Amino acid sequence: MAAPRAAADRIRRLRADIERHNRLYYVEDAPEISDAAFDELFGELQSLESAHPELVTPDSPTQRVGSAPAQEFAEVHHRVPMLSLANAFSDDDVAAFDRRCREGLGVECVDYACELKFDGLAVSLAYERGRLVQGATRGDGSTGEDVTSNLRTIPAIPLSLPGPAPAWLEVRGEVLMRRKDFEALNQRQAAAGDKAFVNPRNAAAGSLRQLDPRLSAQRKLSFFAYGIGAHEGFALPATHGELMDALAALGFPVARERRVVRGEAGLLAFYRDIGGRREALPVDIDGVVYKVNRFADQEALGFVARAPRWAVAHKFPAEEATTRLLDIGVQVGRTGAITPVARLEPVFVGGTTVSNATLHNEDEVRRKDVWRGDEVVVRRAGDVIPEVARVATPGPRTDGDYFRLPSVCPECGSAVVRLEDEAVARCTGGLVCPAQRKASLLHFASRRAMDIEGLGDKLVDQLVDAGLVHTPADLYALTVEQLAGLERMAEKSAQNVHGSIAKSRETTLARFLYGLGIRQVGEVTAKDLAAHFGTLEALMAADAEALQGAPDVGPVVAESIARFFAEPHNREVIARLRQALVRWPESAPRQAAVAGRFAGKIVVLTGTLATLTREDAKERLEAAGARVTGSVSKKTDVVIAGAEAGSKLDRAAELGVAVIDEATMLAWLGETN
């Protein structure tokens, strides 16, 4: 039976009013009605929807909390990685950032968009044709957790977008808790006899990761947008400042304290202005963020490692406290880094109790002249790892109090080495060290290495924790029955993973070398080594001098490779991998540079190619002697443009870089469609 028109009209008006008041309260911080009046409106909407369930829609305010508790959070792979930011701690750091941007763009002055650095949890919201369909945490930048149900409970997050909506839009931002809501939460915790939260950030992170979204809804979380990820059908403005205005027009809360400034002086003026008003803000911040304003300039500057060159976080000074240093131990990181760790008398600093703090590396221990038994100053800023800043009062300082770096890894007994020009000492047992085990397995299985589909974080965790896998060689001894016996692994999934492991036996020498995770050997260097030496045996037999004969292999890289192959544990794992029939076509060493139109050229791919994937095109170009990069600059020789090419094409036109299509690329490669 059709719902009465009067009820439908009233429901429509109530939804609009409730969303408006939510926006005034959570986004504008300017409520017009009391909580009691708001509850009355909400109750009326609930009653009407209960009487007319056929009128309930997914974007109704009543549907913000409606799903059952989850058993676990599913993985979400970000279409566009959620990158972290480099940090600046001083005026000199900011000046250096500005200088790098000016020099990279070849201009005298740069416009920057300045905004707050919220102390919360980064998330990505995906809207399909205007409807919120998925929300995820940042995770490791590539893969996060699906927390859609919990994010839907946050009134500041629009459930639908107004007007003609883009086909797909990912909005990036920060989930946090306002100070007044944090204080109210802790009052409720105390009244219930529960433990109080240490700071708003921990409260927000814990609330967002509740398996029951009804618990998240009780915590009054807030959200501020600061950018976008993948998008289709969205008219991207020319600047970041304009993007923030566009997001605000779509109903997303964005920080009012944002500004476009010119040059270093403008950056520092914004920093000091916000620093002076920091305590009066309704939310916790731990610094400000500077971004090159023009998107074309951002693309030209590109990225380094997992951070953009065009942005930096300028952090506020850290909080400090004094305590006694009881001992200095070492910790072996996921990449084999040996880090001195200070064991402290517990001290409260930066919003939490600290009993361990990093000493970074051996040089820092010597520079700060830190000994066991000293009174030390501990520094902590936001969620940054606590560090020993300096010695306050020296202790008795007997010979046993002096710190000496171990010569062997405390986890696996492999040699600890420190390469020339590197501050960090590392364990050389990358394939066997327990501390590096999970990281080395994930790297070995990654798409550009051995490409073992289905072998992700959670499965690797189970395999290692169950004692089934200690080194990459153990993967090839796994049975379908062992895989199926793991938690949340059905028979079909086990068969798929087992098949993917078997398929990975047929690989290339370059992929195998990259998968070994040798320090300083990335994907490009692995390809160069494979082409130069031709066989694994020739490479393993090469000394540091011979290794430097390969392209772009200098003394530091050569020493790293030589030490890796000199470690008996590593050679044993490699032998077991070969026994497991991991193989590749043998080839003769490369005798001469590749000839052809792409030899020695810097090439950029943009848009969607008609017949090749981006990865296939990259491999063919590199085989022809090209170097494929991700951004267009003055050094770029050729841009290859496919369908829907974006700002890279515009940048190429600005710089006068040659642009060709896929058909021309294939012709130059000596191929046909």
Side-chain angles (χ1 to χ4, degrees):
M1 180 177 178
R5 180 174 296 177
D9 289 344
R10 180 58 179 162
I11 285 174
R12 191 161 43 249
R13 287 196 300 272
L14 282 169
R15 288 173 181 166
D17 286 345
I18 289 170
E19 289 297 359
R20 176 174 173 273
H21 288 302
N22 267 335
R23 180 172 177 80
L24 287 170
Y25 184 90
Y26 289 100
V27 180
E28 305 291 341
D29 201 19
E32 290 182 351
I33 61 175
S34 66
D35 288 351
F38 179 87
D39 291 341
E40 187 175 335
L41 292 174
F42 198 87
E44 183 183 353
L45 177 60
Q46 285 179 312
S47 297
L48 283 170
E49 289 185 345
S50 178
H52 303 282
E54 69 276 13
L55 295 178
V56 177
T57 60
D59 58 351
S60 172
T62 62
Q63 301 306 297
R64 286 191 179 273
V65 186
S67 58
Q71 296 299 313
E72 61 176 2
F73 294 119
E75 284 188 353
V76 173
H77 296 282
H78 301 301
R79 295 189 186 185
V80 175
M82 296 184 69
L83 301 172
S84 55
L85 295 178
N87 291 324
F89 296 99
S90 67
D91 290 3
D92 288 343
D93 291 343
V94 175
F97 166 69
D98 176 57
R99 183 180 65 254
R100 289 193 299 271
C101 290
R102 287 188 285 105
E103 291 175 351
L105 296 171
V107 297
E108 293 296 324
C109 192
V110 177
D111 286 345
Y112 297 99
C114 303
E115 54 201 29
L116 306 181
K117 186 180 184 302
F118 297 109
D119 196 11
L121 192 71
V123 298
S124 181
L125 309 172
Y127 291 82
E128 187 172 21
R129 305 201 179 280
R131 293 289 180 90
L132 177 63
V133 294
Q134 189 175 72
T137 61
R138 178 184 179 276
D140 63 3
S142 298
T143 304
E145 293 179 318
D146 188 333
V147 289
T148 309
S149 296
N150 294 6
L151 288 168
R152 288 176 62 87
T153 71
I154 302 175
I157 293 177
L159 299 179
S160 60
L161 304 181
W168 184 268
L169 177 63
E170 291 177 12
V171 176
R172 277 35 191 310
E174 199 93 356
V175 168
L176 44 80
M177 189 173 287
R178 294 170 183 265
R179 288 172 178 163
K180 62 180 181 182
D181 295 327
F182 172 70
E183 292 167 3
L185 171 61
N186 267 349
Q187 288 172 3
R188 294 195 300 272
Q189 293 286 105
D194 294 329
K195 184 179 179 181
F197 289 94
V198 172
N199 54 49
R201 186 191 189 282
N202 289 351
S207 301
L208 190 62
R209 298 195 74 257
Q210 292 290 327
L211 292 175
D212 188 345
R214 291 169 296 188
L215 296 176
S216 298
Q218 297 171 7
R219 302 284 177 82
K220 284 199 171 183
L221 297 174
S222 296
F223 172 81
F224 285 92
Y226 57 64
I228 64 172
H231 54 89
E232 298 171 17
F234 177 73
L236 183 67
T239 68
H240 180 80
E242 292 169 341
L243 174 63
M244 291 297 97
D245 294 338
L247 290 177
L250 288 174
F252 293 97
V254 296
R256 296 177 186 175
E257 297 80 7
R258 64 184 195 278
R259 193 180 309 161
V260 175
V261 304
R262 285 184 64 76
E264 175 191 347
L267 297 176
L268 294 177
F270 180 81
Y271 175 81
R272 293 182 178 116
D273 174 44
I274 296 300
R277 295 191 284 134
R278 180 183 182 187
E279 295 305 317
L281 295 174
V283 297
D284 278 356
I285 63 172
D286 56 0
V288 297
V289 175
Y290 309 136
K291 299 176 181 177
V292 171
N293 196 31
R294 291 182 69 243
F295 288 125
D297 290 342
Q298 290 183 9
E299 189 163 353
L301 289 169
F303 303 86
V304 54
R306 298 178 65 84
R309 290 191 177 94
W310 43 264
V312 71
H314 191 178
K315 306 294 283 290
F316 290 128
E319 293 186 39
E320 296 183 341
T322 302
T323 188
R324 184 167 296 280
L325 175 60
L326 302 176
D327 193 13
I328 302 176
V330 295
Q331 178 177 291
V332 186
R334 287 166 60 89
T335 62
I338 307 293
T339 304
V341 177
R343 313 298 184 194
L344 308 166
E345 285 186 356
V347 60
F348 192 81
V349 57
T352 191
T353 300
V354 171
S355 56
N356 295 303
T358 182
L359 285 160
H360 298 293
N361 54 60
E362 186 179 19
D363 286 349
E364 281 294 282
V365 176
R366 301 289 175 257
R367 185 180 69 81
K368 294 173 181 176
D369 193 26
V370 178
W371 294 51
R372 297 175 179 88
D374 289 349
E375 287 281 339
V376 295
V377 176
V378 180
R379 176 189 296 148
R380 187 175 189 273
D383 61 346
V384 175
I385 298 171
E387 67 168 347
V388 172
R390 59 188 178 276
V391 173
T393 306
R397 297 197 167 186
T398 64
D399 183 64
D401 297 327
Y402 187 79
F403 172 74
R404 293 173 177 83
L405 194 73
S407 59
V408 297
C409 173
E411 296 283 349
C412 69
S414 298
V416 170
V417 301
R418 180 176 167 184
L419 299 177
E420 185 181 350
D421 297 330
E422 282 204 355
V424 177
R426 296 180 187 275
C427 165
T428 57
L431 296 179
V432 296
C433 183
Q436 303 174 66
R437 187 165 292 156
K438 292 179 180 180
S440 67
L441 287 168
L442 285 169
H443 178 77
F444 183 82
S446 62
R447 185 168 62 88
R448 299 192 178 191
M450 301 299 285
D451 193 20
I452 303 177
E453 190 173 350
L455 198 68
D457 293 56
K458 292 183 179 179
L459 182 53
V460 165
D461 285 345
Q462 289 194 73
L463 290 169
V464 171
D465 294 344
L468 293 174
V469 174
H470 298 86
T471 76
D474 296 328
L475 293 171
Y476 297 94
L478 289 171
T479 65
V480 173
E481 290 72 25
Q482 286 175 316
L483 289 166
L486 298 172
E487 188 178 352
R488 297 185 297 278
M489 278 291 286
E491 182 77 20
K492 181 62 175 175
S493 298
Q495 290 175 352
N496 290 340
V497 172
H498 189 266
S500 185
I501 292 172
K503 183 181 176 183
S504 74
R505 285 189 171 96
E506 300 289 342
T507 186
T508 67
L509 177 55
R511 282 179 173 270
F512 181 79
L513 291 175
Y514 178 59
L516 294 178
I518 305 170
R519 178 73 180 159
Q520 305 278 359
V521 176
E523 193 179 356
V524 173
T525 302
K527 289 178 180 178
D528 287 339
L529 289 169
H532 182 79
F533 287 97
T535 67
L536 177 63
E537 290 71 24
L539 173 61
M540 293 177 66
D543 59 18
E545 183 178 353
L547 287 164
Q548 291 181 58
D552 296 323
V553 174
V556 174
V557 178
E559 184 182 354
S560 179
I561 298 168
R563 286 186 178 276
F564 180 90
F565 287 124
E567 177 58 55
H569 296 313
N570 293 335
R571 297 181 76 94
E572 179 184 344
V573 173
I574 291 169
R576 289 182 56 210
L577 284 166
R578 298 308 301 268
Q579 289 168 6
L581 301 181
V582 175
R583 53 189 175 268
W584 49 83
E586 298 290 348
S587 63
R590 181 168 59 194
Q591 297 299 322
V594 178
R597 293 215 195 194
F598 287 114
K601 301 296 185 184
I602 298 176
V603 179
V604 172
L605 291 160
T606 183
T608 303
L609 302 180
T611 64
L612 298 175
T613 66
R614 185 76 64 88
E615 190 61 32
D616 287 340
K618 181 181 178 183
E619 288 185 2
R620 295 191 188 193
L621 289 164
E622 288 177 342
R627 179 183 167 207
V628 181
T629 64
S631 60
V632 180
S633 70
K634 295 176 182 178
K635 296 181 179 180
T636 304
D637 295 301
V638 180
V639 170
I640 300 167
E644 299 182 7
S647 56
K648 293 179 183 178
L649 195 59
D650 297 333
R651 183 64 176 169
E654 287 180 21
L655 297 174
V657 175
V659 178
I660 64 173
D661 59 14
E662 182 183 5
T664 305
M665 177 194 76
L666 292 172
W668 286 9
L669 288 168
E671 302 172 6
T672 58
N673 285 319

